[in-house]
Amino acid sequence: MASRSTSAAGKRPEQGASTEAGRPRRRAEQQRSQATRETILSAAFAEFAEKGFETASIRGIADRAGVQHPLITYHFPSKDLLWRATAEATFARIRQEWDEQAVRDTGLNPLERLRAEYGVLFRHTVRFPDFHRFMRQEASTHNPRLRWAADTVLKPLLDRLLPQIAAAQDQGLLPEVEPILFHYMMVSLTATLSEFGPEMEVTSGVPADRADVADAYWGLVDRVVFAAADQSGD
């Protein structure tokens, strides 16, 4: 009995060593899987922005991502689930950028915070010009994806911004209109360079993706919207 017990005890460290050795392998596999998902989502973002949901194809996304078609369906079983995951990833980036900005901008009044938050949204669209194109493809018609987006990714955005707009109105810093009207006016302003950039470059030779052009444009928005609103509240 003693010899069997000793023999069994001697095996335990080997099993533990095997488990320890397997952990780095699992972590590496998880990291590869996450990297693959991010590559697929980036390609899907571009595909949906350019072609819209109905015309976009899983094979087209696979070509953009440089992966085999079955790998996409392994991670995202349907095109609808892939579209939703793409939207969620996009808005998660925006919320993260807002939260990082908010930490730096404590103590701002409602108008100053709105200026900062719409500025973050604008800078995001400069880095990701497909953002407004991606949303516009589904926002132009009533479809299940628009309803899902309204409930899932747009509502948290509006729950964050509309109270700030109302607070600025209460302090006399913004015109008394439905807050949603001010919000969509600002959305249209943040979309200008991504939506009209190619046309602007053709008609004027001014590239919308140049840093100084983006700075000049947002400086104009700041003066026209926020500086004017701030002065009206004095």
Side-chain angles (χ1 to χ4, degrees), residues 6 24 29 84 119 123 134-135 155 161-162 204 211 213 220 225:
T6 302
E29 290 171 354
R84 294 184 183 197
R123 296 296 175 186
F134 174 84
M135 292 303 299
K155 187 177 185 300
L161 293 172
L162 295 187
S204 67
V213 172
L220 177 62
V225 177

Side-chain angles (χ1 to χ4, degrees), residues 7 14 21 26 39 45 48 59 72 78 88 118 145 151 159 163 165 174 190 196 198 200 211:
S7 174
E14 295 177 4
R26 284 196 297 273
T39 298
F45 188 50
F48 288 131
R59 293 194 181 277
I72 294 184
S78 72
E88 288 177 326
Y118 281 111
R145 288 172 302 284
D151 293 339
D159 286 347
I165 295 170
L174 287 177
T190 63
F196 295 103
M200 185 174 75

Side-chain angles (χ1 to χ4, degrees), residues 14-59:
E14 295 177 4
Q15 293 169 350
S18 176
T19 301
E20 288 295 328
R23 286 174 183 165
R25 188 182 308 115
R26 284 196 297 273
R27 283 196 296 269
E29 290 171 354
Q30 290 168 353
Q31 289 170 352
R32 285 195 297 271
S33 178
Q34 182 60 31
T36 299
R37 285 176 60 89
E38 291 174 359
T39 298
I40 292 170
L41 289 173
S42 178
F45 188 50
E47 178 86 356
F48 288 131
E50 179 182 333
K51 299 179 180 179
F53 179 84
E54 298 297 341
T55 306
S57 70
I58 296 296
R59 293 194 181 277

